Amino acid sequence: MAFFTLSATPATAKRDGYFTSTTMALMSHLGERRIVEAKSVNGLKPLILSFGRDTALQHPGRSFKIMVTVNRGSRKPRGFDTAYDSEALGTSEWLETTIADPVPHEGMAGVASWGTRYTPFRMDGAEPREASLTEAERLSEDGHLGFKGWSADVAACLETAGAPAAALGGETRDALMARYRAHQHPALTAAVLSSASLADQRAA
């Protein structure tokens, strides 16, 4: 078994083209640090996510990155450095990343932040649409706040265009998630779904 100290450091990130820079307040942290014990990387990740969820509940809306320190006298589990450096342990799930130059689409504002599982999706110059995760969603692998906010903006675009209400429901969650992960602008997704829905109606 190894002991680790977890701390939540206030931080923000900005993406400019292919490069992302992170600004961190290294001398401060949100809430109390937490000491956890794990014998493997797989056993450590859920402890990190639990710490992150608790910190986010205590500091709603704050953007932060979780720092993990191996306590003195403990031996790192196999694969720890690789997992930590690649952020595979979930340490950046609460880190809001904004786009340096959001790209507009068809006269609509660009996307300022795509969000993550625990941070919101946001259009440039606008507050995130009302979207939240239930306790069950926070604990589930399917819960994803960024995707939920993006879906809400797609639905709003469909409504503005007067598209059929069933257009959004005509595509599976996995297909919609693929569009979200490909960073497809909500207006473009709405246009594609609307066209597909109208085509289905004509074929019926």
Side-chain angles (χ1 to χ4, degrees):
M1 283 286 190
F3 290 91
F4 305 85
T5 297
L6 311 180
S7 59
T9 300
T12 56
K14 179 165 288 188
R15 181 175 299 143
D16 190 352
Y18 293 104
F19 301 97
T20 300
S21 58
T22 302
T23 302
M24 304 177 65
L26 293 175
M27 300 304 291
S28 62
H29 58 272
L30 301 175
E32 298 295 325
R33 294 183 175 89
R34 181 179 297 179
I35 296 176
V36 297
E37 182 181 12
K39 65 178 180 180
S40 68
V41 166
N42 288 338
L44 179 59
K45 183 173 182 177
L47 300 176
I48 291 173
L49 293 178
S50 176
F51 174 69
R53 285 193 292 266
D54 290 345
T55 301
L57 287 173
Q58 294 167 10
H59 303 274
R62 294 296 301 273
S63 175
F64 61 89
K65 183 178 176 66
I66 298 174
M67 308 301 288
V68 183
T69 303
V70 182
N71 289 11
R72 182 173 297 178
S74 291
R75 177 177 295 179
K76 299 177 186 177
R78 180 177 299 175
F80 171 80
D81 286 334
T82 298
Y84 186 49
D85 293 343
S86 67
E87 300 182 345
L89 292 175
T91 53
S92 293
E93 290 290 345
W94 288 269
L95 178 66
E96 183 177 15
T97 301
T98 56
I99 310 300
D101 295 302
V103 180
H105 177 80
E106 298 292 334
M108 286 191 63
V111 175
S113 178
W114 287 95
T116 67
R117 183 178 173 184
Y118 298 107
T119 63
F121 171 88
R122 182 168 57 83
M123 299 295 291
D124 189 31
E127 292 296 317
R129 288 191 183 276
E130 187 65 31
S132 60
L133 297 179
T134 65
E135 180 63 18
E137 286 175 327
R138 281 197 296 270
L139 298 175
S140 167
E141 287 297 324
D142 290 334
H144 198 295
L145 186 59
F147 171 70
K148 198 170 185 178
W150 174 85
S151 299
D153 262 287
V154 172
C157 289
L158 286 169
E159 183 178 355
T160 299
L168 187 59
E171 190 146 320
T172 65
R173 184 185 187 282
D174 286 346
L176 288 172
M177 179 61 85
R179 293 183 184 279
Y180 166 75
R181 292 195 185 284
H183 289 180
Q184 190 173 90
H185 193 286
L188 176 56
T189 299
V192 172
L193 296 182
S194 180
S195 296
S197 180
L198 289 172
D200 289 343
Q201 286 184 354
R202 295 191 189 100

